[in-house]
């Protein structure tokens, strides 16, 4: 997956583009993309015990750009820590992720 995040607005929100696509280790995943908004989150949600020490955010889907069949846009929760975004996809059957900046994207 790839997450492109825009500049932070004065109210703390940031708009982002979330893209997903198949990889060699997971070739059956579809390709798609949707816009999101990331907002600061001050309260710790249930199940977030493994997230600590960074600026906490929740990403909420806004609208699809490319929606493959039977896919749902989902929330992402996590924190910015040490130049990475560490968190989880907030939907049944989904799991944790770590996103690291890439200069070549």
């Amino acid at each position: 997956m790839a997450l492109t995040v825009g500049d932070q607005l004065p109210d703390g929100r940031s708009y982002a583009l979330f893209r997903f696509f198949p990889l060699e280790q997971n070739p059956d995943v579809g390709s798609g993309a949707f816009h999101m908004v990331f907002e600061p989150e001050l309260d710790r949600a249930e199940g977030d015990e493994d997230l600590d020490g960074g600026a906490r955010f929740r990403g909420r889907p806004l609208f699809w750009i490319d929606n493959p069949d039977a896919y749902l846009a989902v929330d992402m929760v996590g924190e910015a820590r040490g130049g990475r975004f560490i968190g989880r996809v907030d939907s049944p059957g989904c799991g944790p992720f770590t996103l690291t900046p890439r200069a070549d994207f």
Side-chain angles (χ1 to χ4, degrees):
M1 69 179 168
L3 182 67
T4 304
V5 181
D7 292 335
Q8 189 172 29
L9 301 173
D11 65 2
R13 293 178 304 150
S14 295
Y15 290 95
L17 172 62
F18 177 73
R19 294 181 291 143
F20 55 93
F21 39 82
L23 297 171
E24 185 177 309
Q25 62 269 35
N26 198 1
D28 296 328
V29 170
S31 294
F34 55 87
H35 280 282
M36 302 183 78
V37 61
F38 277 84
E39 301 170 308
E41 191 170 77
L42 303 177
D43 296 329
R44 181 174 300 280
E46 185 177 332
D48 285 351
E49 292 78 17
D50 57 332
L51 303 176
D52 57 26
R56 296 183 44 74
F57 294 92
R58 174 172 289 273
R60 299 185 191 282
L62 293 174
F63 59 90
W64 282 99
I65 296 169
D66 180 16
N67 184 359
D69 292 338
Y71 278 72
L72 300 173
V74 294
D75 286 9
M76 300 170 74
V77 294
E79 57 188 41
R81 187 176 358 143
R84 298 179 297 163
F85 184 52
I86 300 167
R88 63 180 170 77
V89 177
D90 196 14
S91 182
C94 296
F97 61 82
T98 299
L99 296 175
T100 305
R102 287 184 49 173
D104 61 341
F105 237 133

